[in-house]
Amino acid sequence: MNETIINNKIREEICVIIPTYNNQKTLQRVVDGVLNHTENIIIVNDGSTDETFELLKNYPQLAQIHFPENKGKGIALRKGFKKAKQLGFKYAITIDSDGQHFPNDIPIFLEALQEENRDVLFIGSRNMNQDGVPKKSSFGNKFSNFWFWFETGIKLDDTQSGYRLYPLNSIPKKFFTRKFEFEIEVIVRTAWKGVPVKNIPINILYDPNERVSHFRPFQDFSRISVLNTILVIITLFYIKPRDFFRKLLKKKFKDFVREDILASSDSNFNKSSSIALGVFIGIAPFWGFQTILSISLAVLFKLNKALAFVFSNISFPPMIPVIIFGSLKIGSFFVGNTKPLRFDHSITIDIVKSNITQYLVGSFILATVSAIAFGVGSYLLLSLSKKSKK
């Protein structure tokens, strides 16, 4: 690719952010290496207690941010992003100052951005199988890759590399994490916005004599685990249902039924289980949460989301009095009621409130029995339909 074209179109819109904390052995080499490619550099000194401050006096032409005390990598990057946007940059490459990244790989990011011609978040993909890579780093990367895939549906080879290119106007405006877990939060939430997140190959150098790692195995891994737990909950109860409805709204109803339900490649057992799940959620007392629960649980158990969603609407208005009456009636066999029940307009919310235990017990029993009946019935019908087609 013609590097002059890259310079004209991209270099003026891109900067390099170098967060650093007590990396006096390698910082100068990294800064000088980046200067071979651009002077658009922002250095964030995250409260270093070594000779970093004195070393950076040799680069008065570069934008610098100095924290009086260590704040964490997440805060350092957030401040770097804010400064970059203030200076008018649209993209920022982040490179660690511990010497493991090669500044000569910067053109790889520029070429990838040029080829995409759109906002993409690029993560440098390291060869984690090469000599010198700590086993704990390789395990941690695989662990992170799995949860990133679960939360976004995107498969990557490396989600922990700090060598990245961020589209500054496409990443979230506000963040909640402050330390190493920030780099997970930003890529997951950016992917949720519909921005592509991709790997590009880079080189790495693990030199135990120079490299200083500030990753604390117990504390930071615990913080990352807590973050992933929160992200998984958001994925199941918000992101997956949101994406499902977006997909549903883009299609005509006939196309949706034909493609997502009738022509589904799911097995008969999977389809019938999805129907059973939807019926259970629709009848059980999860008022207001049926849609979120049915789709989230369908995603969790790898069932047919469309079928689960459709049958969760079994509690549509004409059926509500029937379900309430049936729940109260069944519950009365297990929990005594004070008034005889009649299937008419006398069934009100006040009656349900005064017999709440009876209603809850009955509704769960009714939901379970109905789910089994619908599940078994649909499985038999689907099996018969399949045989008749043959």
Side-chain angles (χ1 to χ4, degrees), residues 2-53:
N2 191 320
E3 189 173 349
T4 302
I5 296 178
I6 295 177
N7 289 339
N8 293 336
K9 289 189 174 183
I10 295 179
R11 286 190 182 277
E12 62 184 18
E13 297 179 342
I14 201 165
C15 69
V16 177
I17 298 175
I18 308 176
T20 187
Y21 175 60
N22 289 348
N23 288 126
Q24 64 179 18
K25 292 182 179 180
T26 54
L27 177 59
Q28 182 173 350
R29 186 174 78 233
V30 173
V31 174
D32 291 343
V34 175
L35 280 170
N36 291 329
H37 299 277
T38 180
E39 291 188 353
N40 299 332
I41 300 175
I42 300 173
I43 303 174
V44 185
N45 175 17
D46 188 17
S48 297
T49 56
D50 57 5
E51 298 300 319
T52 293
F53 184 79

Side-chain angles (χ1 to χ4, degrees), residues 98-113:
D98 59 4
Q100 70 163 302
H101 299 148
F102 289 81
N104 287 338
D105 283 339
I106 288 177
I108 296 176
F109 288 92
L110 304 184
E111 292 175 7
L113 182 62

Side-chain angles (χ1 to χ4, degrees), residues 227-354:
L227 173 64
N228 275 317
T229 300
I230 295 172
L231 294 176
V232 165
I233 293 173
I234 296 173
T235 297
L236 293 175
F237 290 96
Y238 174 69
I239 298 300
K240 293 295 184 181
R242 181 202 69 180
D243 293 346
F244 173 78
F245 278 110
R246 286 179 177 177
K247 181 181 178 182
L248 177 62
L249 293 173
K250 287 181 180 179
K251 288 186 176 183
K252 294 181 179 179
F253 183 73
K254 290 183 179 179
D255 294 335
F256 174 75
V257 173
R258 184 177 66 253
E259 296 174 11
D260 293 79
I261 299 179
L262 298 179
S264 172
S265 60
D266 294 331
S267 66
N268 289 342
F269 179 79
N270 185 287
K271 291 180 180 179
S272 58
S273 298
S274 304
I275 291 172
L277 172 65
V279 170
F280 179 83
I281 295 297
I283 295 177
F286 300 123
W287 305 107
F289 298 94
Q290 288 98 330
T291 297
I292 292 176
L293 283 173
S294 61
I295 297 176
S296 300
L297 291 174
V299 171
L300 180 63
F301 295 111
K302 298 181 180 180
L303 299 176
N304 187 305
K305 298 186 292 294
L307 287 174
F309 164 70
V310 169
F311 280 87
S312 70
N313 287 279
I314 190 172
S315 56
F316 60 98
M319 287 295 296
I320 291 176
V322 178
I323 293 174
I324 293 177
F325 177 81
S327 299
L328 288 169
K329 194 68 176 177
I330 293 173
S332 66
F333 292 107
F334 301 89
V335 180
N337 64 313
T338 57
K339 297 180 180 179
L341 294 173
R342 291 186 302 168
F343 185 58
D344 55 23
H345 295 293
S346 64
I347 296 179
T348 63
I349 297 299
D350 290 334
I351 292 178
V352 175
K353 288 181 179 178
S354 62

Side-chain angles (χ1 to χ4, degrees), residues 8-257:
N8 293 336
K9 289 189 174 183
I10 295 179
R11 286 190 182 277
E12 62 184 18
E13 297 179 342
I14 201 165
C15 69
V16 177
I17 298 175
I18 308 176
T20 187
Y21 175 60
N22 289 348
N23 288 126
Q24 64 179 18
K25 292 182 179 180
T26 54
L27 177 59
Q28 182 173 350
R29 186 174 78 233
V30 173
V31 174
D32 291 343
V34 175
L35 280 170
N36 291 329
H37 299 277
T38 180
E39 291 188 353
N40 299 332
I41 300 175
I42 300 173
I43 303 174
V44 185
N45 175 17
D46 188 17
S48 297
T49 56
D50 57 5
E51 298 300 319
T52 293
F53 184 79
E54 294 298 321
L55 188 154
L56 291 178
K57 288 181 178 179
N58 298 322
Y59 303 94
Q61 78 279 20
L62 303 182
Q64 299 182 22
I65 300 173
H66 295 273
F67 294 161
E69 59 184 21
N70 181 252
K71 300 289 186 180
K73 191 176 184 181
I75 295 294
L77 289 174
R78 285 161 58 175
K79 291 295 183 181
F81 292 159
K82 183 177 180 180
K83 183 68 173 179
K85 294 179 73 173
Q86 290 174 347
L87 294 175
F89 295 110
K90 294 182 179 179
Y91 304 95
I93 293 176
T94 60
I95 181 172
D96 292 341
S97 61
D98 59 4
Q100 70 163 302
H101 299 148
F102 289 81
N104 287 338
D105 283 339
I106 288 177
I108 296 176
F109 288 92
L110 304 184
E111 292 175 7
L113 182 62
Q114 177 74 15
E115 290 177 0
E116 288 285 346
N117 195 28
R118 59 174 175 167
D119 279 358
V120 178
L121 195 160
F122 289 107
I123 303 176
S125 178
R126 303 162 294 176
N127 179 8
M128 303 302 289
N129 296 319
Q130 75 178 49
D131 294 337
V133 177
K135 290 184 179 180
K136 63 180 180 180
S137 296
S138 179
F139 168 78
N141 190 52
K142 291 178 181 178
F143 179 85
S144 178
N145 294 347
F146 169 79
W147 288 114
F148 179 76
W149 165 78
F150 187 91
E151 292 152 4
T152 66
I154 301 173
K155 288 188 176 182
L156 295 179
D157 296 322
D158 193 345
T159 54
Q160 289 195 320
S161 171
Y163 209 173
R164 305 178 176 188
L165 184 148
Y166 292 95
L168 296 174
N169 295 322
S170 296
I171 61 176
K173 292 181 172 59
K174 294 183 179 180
F175 298 95
F176 307 101
T177 50
R178 304 168 60 88
K179 298 186 181 295
F180 282 101
E181 69 274 16
F182 169 82
E183 292 183 302
I184 295 175
E185 179 193 357
V186 66
I187 61 174
V188 170
R189 293 182 58 205
T190 299
W192 284 350
K193 294 181 65 176
V195 178
V197 180
K198 297 185 176 183
N199 277 145
I200 55 175
I202 59 169
N203 298 298
I204 56 169
L205 172 66
Y206 277 93
D207 187 342
N209 296 319
E210 285 189 333
R211 186 170 182 263
V212 178
S213 175
H214 302 290
F215 185 85
R216 300 164 301 174
F218 179 76
Q219 296 96 321
D220 291 319
F221 188 78
S222 297
R223 296 172 71 97
I224 290 172
S225 297
V226 170
L227 173 64
N228 275 317
T229 300
I230 295 172
L231 294 176
V232 165
I233 293 173
I234 296 173
T235 297
L236 293 175
F237 290 96
Y238 174 69
I239 298 300
K240 293 295 184 181
R242 181 202 69 180
D243 293 346
F244 173 78
F245 278 110
R246 286 179 177 177
K247 181 181 178 182
L248 177 62
L249 293 173
K250 287 181 180 179
K251 288 186 176 183
K252 294 181 179 179
F253 183 73
K254 290 183 179 179
D255 294 335
F256 174 75
V257 173

